Amino acid sequence: MPRERKEIVYQGTPVSRGIAFAPLHIVARGFAAPEIYTIPPSLIPREQDRFAAALERTKEQLRNLRSQIEKISGEEEGRIFEAHLMVIEDRTVLDRVDEAIAERHQNAEYSFYAVIQTFLEAMRRVPDPYLRERTVDIEDVCKRVLRNFSAEPEEPNAEQPDHQHIMVAYDINPSDTAAMDRNHVLGFATEVGSTNSHTAILARSLGIPAIVGLQNAIFNLHALAPAIIDGYTGKLIVDPSEETRKRYKELQQEKTRLREALHELRDTETITTDGRKITLSANIEFEHELPLVSASGAEGIGLFRTEFFLLENEECPGEEEQYHLYSRIAQSVKPHQVIIRTLDAGGDKVPGEPLSEPEPNPFLGWRGIRFSLSRRDLFKEQLRAILRAGAKGQVSIMFPLVSGLREVREAKALLQECIEELTERGVEFNPDIDVGAMIEVPSAAVMAEEIAAEVDFLSIGTNDLIQYTVAVDRINPRVSDLYKPGHPAVVRLIQSTVAGADKAGIWTGVCGELAGDLLYLPLLIGLGIDELSVGTQQVPLINQAVRHLNYAECQLLAQACLQVGESREVDALCRQLAEDSYPDLLGQISSQ
Ligand code: PEP
Ligand code: MG
């Protein structure tokens, strides 16, 4: 049996609640992992021999390549293979692979791959750019060795393991998170990332426990090591002791019990103790979340992020395909409404179309309504599809990332063109569809009154509003401490947005992650927010929290928060009211 290891706890930032038990699967940047399997102790020498044979084959190929290239291009060019040869002749690497095979009883391919990965990670961090660039050589030679494990070279297996695991990676992008197989990936942990990245948002909506910011963890981890992920406190516990396992099993049962108890109450009205009604709706990214929307007790969908559906394949779905999807969603949430947000490409999500080179500042670049207004045909296809789905249920449109009046007016003018085109075509659609603007750029919050006069509702995207107000990249862990939801400037911008909407006689919602944050909930209610849209997992919790709040007290809190100068004062005021109002619910979101 593999040698018993001592429990090690790695601390990161929790971004998606939940607890899972599974072996680790480590994902390297650059290339796919080979198949992993356990070998009996009697086969250790055979695996070590297979490794030696693969190295020999690789060396021979590299020497041949060197002499061919030298003949064609000269000695200098041939020297590149010298660097490759050095990697596979490095004793430290070779010894670590032999040790890994012997200690962890894993096949030679995987042991080699895992060892090389740790070297790659180390090299990616060195300050010397020349050395950093050499990682490409190491990746190259690693792929070659992997192919040489079989006599008939083939590409390494790009499949994800087909067993349940906790995925650990330097980073995982939103589209890979979206594609995760929930039956196999029981949790994930990354070295970088932050709470408000789309990767984290997706983890929450998929209900996958997740941790980010596990700095330098990969270097020390072993593939297939048993582990526990604690998405409440941000711990990754590797090789947990019996005692830890037992404690976490009990905690997991307790959390399931509490979640079920909350679910029982989900059909109660979302109303404060003094009678203020709040509309509580759900954020979704995928059609397969629809059953979760109704099961959560949400009153419809306050934000359908369409970019995952529109950009998941190379070809963007056309009007018909979009119309069918939007109609299915509208029918599923009837009699409630679905707010369909038009494409919000870019930022940390996929760009609207392939770019010849990455944007230097994607969050300040070609994203949201800016992309749509510059790709009018694409935009109008989406608008027509939404208008047509409007005949099938309660559908509204919402424009992302508007920075001022002009964009809203331009988008509305295109909507009007679509209305005329559909009238001419004689198809069924809703010409009186409600139109909303997202307030997620400070300039739009300042202009809220004017924007409100043009639309039927405002929905505050706090994820972006906070990052743009305090100039902190929402996905950069280095500055995540400065990402302050309670910054007085954010509080004032939310207040002026609500005031602008009130003047125009329209409602204001919040669909950013702040809407599901128990600490700031009293503040949002006190500032006069009418609607909250949160991930489906959060709906029952927020429903109960609102039912414990007193609107008059929340208003006093909001007034106090508008007077103070620092975010920690806002935080302290909010925490006090949250603790006084729902101490038990706050206890449920921590694991201790
Ligand atoms: C937001 O910015 O708060 C928001 C809801 O939009 P997204 O997270 O998709 O940028
Ligand atoms: Mg946004």
Side-chain angles (χ1 to χ4, degrees):
M1 284 305 288
R3 174 143 48 97
E4 276 253 327
R5 287 179 181 268
K6 211 168 156 306
E7 167 178 311
I8 303 182
V9 181
Y10 296 91
Q11 183 67 53
T13 308
V15 295
S16 178
R17 292 199 283 274
I19 291 166
F21 299 69
L24 297 177
H25 169 66
I26 301 165
V27 182
R29 281 182 275 183
F31 54 96
E35 198 189 343
I36 324 170
Y37 51 89
T38 310
I39 49 159
S42 60
L43 290 185
I44 291 172
R46 194 201 70 172
E47 284 304 292
Q48 289 170 332
D49 289 348
R50 286 182 61 234
F51 175 48
L55 285 181
E56 271 320 306
R57 272 197 285 273
T58 310
K59 281 185 205 164
E60 200 180 303
Q61 288 165 1
L62 289 174
R63 286 191 202 109
N64 287 342
L65 277 169
R66 181 177 56 192
S67 58
Q68 277 172 29
I69 299 290
E70 273 173 359
K71 270 187 220 137
I72 304 164
S73 314
E75 224 170 279
E76 191 59 34
E77 274 67 23
R79 225 168 262 147
I80 162 111
F81 295 103
E82 206 70 32
H84 287 200
L85 276 163
M86 271 164 65
V87 177
I88 50 172
E89 282 167 351
D90 184 329
R91 232 13 289 164
T92 330
V93 178
L94 307 188
D95 288 348
R96 275 188 71 171
V97 177
D98 280 337
E99 269 166 37
I101 297 173
E103 275 189 14
R104 302 213 60 85
H105 295 201
Q106 283 159 3
N107 55 319
E109 294 86 331
Y110 195 82
S111 303
F112 170 68
Y113 165 84
V115 167
I116 285 288
Q117 261 183 92
T118 60
F119 278 93
L120 279 170
E121 284 302 321
M123 278 186 73
R124 287 189 181 106
R125 291 153 209 255
V126 295
D128 180 346
Y130 174 79
L131 274 179
R132 271 206 312 271
E133 274 172 28
R134 300 278 62 77
T135 54
V136 180
D137 295 334
I138 302 185
E139 282 178 7
D140 233 38
V141 79
C142 182
K143 283 184 216 162
R144 183 176 291 282
V145 174
L146 289 174
R147 283 199 297 273
N148 281 327
F149 269 99
S150 68
E152 283 171 44
E154 53 176 48
E155 286 302 312
N157 176 17
E159 298 287 306
Q160 289 295 324
D162 63 358
H163 57 80
Q164 295 191 321
H165 59 273
I166 293 170
M167 186 187 278
V168 188
Y170 174 73
D171 197 8
I172 301 176
N173 62 34
S175 48
D176 288 339
T177 312
M180 269 177 196
D181 178 351
R182 186 70 190 81
N183 294 321
H184 287 146
V185 187
L186 300 193
F188 73 78
T190 60
E191 289 203 352
V192 296
S194 65
T195 314
N196 293 292
S197 64
H198 284 93
T199 300
I201 292 173
L202 286 169
R204 290 192 283 274
S205 75
L206 294 167
I208 300 180
I211 302 173
V212 299
L214 272 189
Q215 283 171 18
N216 297 326
I218 291 181
F219 194 69
N220 299 307
L221 297 177
H222 293 267
L224 291 186
I228 301 173
I229 187 165
D230 174 354
Y232 294 94
T233 60
K235 290 189 174 67
L236 180 70
I237 304 156
V238 181
D239 295 303
S241 67
E242 243 344 283
E243 196 196 325
T244 307
R245 277 175 182 281
K246 190 163 164 279
R247 188 159 48 85
Y248 269 99
K249 278 275 173 236
E250 284 166 9
L251 194 61
Q252 198 180 32
Q253 280 162 4
E254 171 70 1
K255 293 290 173 193
T256 312
R257 200 185 55 70
L258 290 170
R259 218 181 23 250
E260 284 168 2
L262 267 184
H263 255 264
E264 296 279 297
L265 301 168
R266 68 185 185 275
D267 289 329
T268 48
E269 205 179 6
T270 310
I271 190 166
T272 62
T273 53
D274 48 349
R276 178 161 168 86
K277 165 85 183 94
I278 303 293
T279 304
L280 179 58
S281 40
N283 292 350
I284 67 161
E285 286 78 33
F286 308 103
E287 187 180 8
H288 64 71
E289 289 178 88
L290 286 176
L292 298 176
V293 174
S294 48
S296 72
E299 296 167 80
I301 297 169
L303 167 64
F304 172 41
R305 290 185 167 94
T306 53
E307 45 279 3
F308 296 97
F309 159 64
L310 294 179
L311 303 176
E312 72 184 345
N313 296 314
E314 251 167 61
E315 192 92 357
C316 187
E319 180 185 319
E320 279 313 299
E321 201 181 328
Q322 291 188 47
Y323 159 65
H324 289 298
L325 173 71
Y326 304 153
S327 302
R328 286 197 297 275
I329 297 179
Q331 274 158 340
S332 153
V333 297
K334 247 178 180 172
H336 300 302
Q337 75 163 345
V338 48
I339 301 178
I340 302 180
R341 178 174 77 179
T342 60
L343 179 67
D344 184 14
D348 65 334
K349 290 173 278 197
V350 192
E353 61 190 52
L355 304 171
S356 54
E357 49 188 63
E359 294 185 288
N361 291 304
F363 274 121
L364 300 181
W366 202 30
R367 63 169 296 210
I369 197 72
R370 303 167 186 184
F371 174 82
S372 294
L373 290 176
S374 61
R375 290 288 178 270
R376 291 171 176 237
D377 290 347
L378 212 67
F379 188 36
K380 283 176 67 180
E381 272 186 8
Q382 183 171 32
L383 294 177
R384 285 193 301 265
I386 302 173
L387 284 165
R388 287 172 60 195
K392 303 286 178 199
Q394 290 294 322
V395 177
S396 303
I397 295 187
M398 173 159 85
F399 301 126
L401 209 86
V402 301
S403 56
L405 255 188
R406 190 192 58 82
E407 286 160 337
V408 177
R409 287 182 175 153
E410 248 183 81
K412 279 181 61 188
L414 291 173
L415 187 67
Q416 191 51 40
E417 279 180 27
C418 293
I419 289 176
E420 282 154 25
E421 285 160 15
L422 290 175
T423 311
E424 209 157 286
R425 260 163 56 183
V427 291
E428 214 192 355
F429 71 102
N430 176 12
D432 299 316
I433 203 158
D434 272 2
V435 176
M438 282 190 76
I439 301 296
E440 41 186 356
V441 180
S443 56
V446 171
M447 298 296 290
E449 192 179 326
E450 287 78 359
I451 293 175
E454 295 278 341
V455 293
D456 302 298
F457 63 92
L458 299 179
S459 184
I460 307 178
T462 46
N463 307 336
D464 279 315
L465 183 64
I466 298 166
Q467 81 161 342
Y468 295 127
T469 304
V470 297
V472 172
D473 181 343
R474 69 193 251 192
I475 60 167
N476 183 345
R478 218 177 258 158
V479 286
S480 59
D481 281 358
L482 299 170
Y483 186 94
K484 301 263 189 243
H487 194 293
V490 175
V491 180
R492 291 175 201 192
L493 287 177
I494 296 176
Q495 190 269 337
S496 68
T497 303
V498 176
D502 281 352
K503 267 205 178 145
I506 62 170
W507 60 267
T508 310
V510 173
C511 62
E513 295 302 293
L514 202 62
D517 190 324
L518 285 185
L519 282 184
Y520 297 102
L521 185 67
L523 175 60
L524 295 181
I525 301 294
L527 287 169
I529 293 297
D530 303 286
E531 182 241 23
L532 296 165
S533 194
V534 301
T536 52
Q537 313 280 335
Q538 302 282 91
V539 173
L541 193 68
I542 297 301
N543 165 258
Q544 284 310 302
V546 171
R547 292 177 59 83
H548 284 79
L549 286 172
N550 178 282
Y551 182 45
E553 280 175 15
C554 292
Q555 282 180 304
L556 288 176
L557 165 79
Q559 284 313 315
C561 290
L562 286 164
Q563 307 300 320
V564 298
E566 283 194 45
S567 45
R568 57 185 174 159
E569 297 169 86
V570 171
D571 291 357
L573 289 164
C574 292
R575 180 173 289 279
Q576 190 60 56
L577 190 49
E579 278 174 358
D580 290 348
S581 308
Y582 37 71
D584 293 351
L585 296 176
L586 283 174
Q588 284 189 35
I589 59 168
S590 70
S591 78
Q592 304 310 328

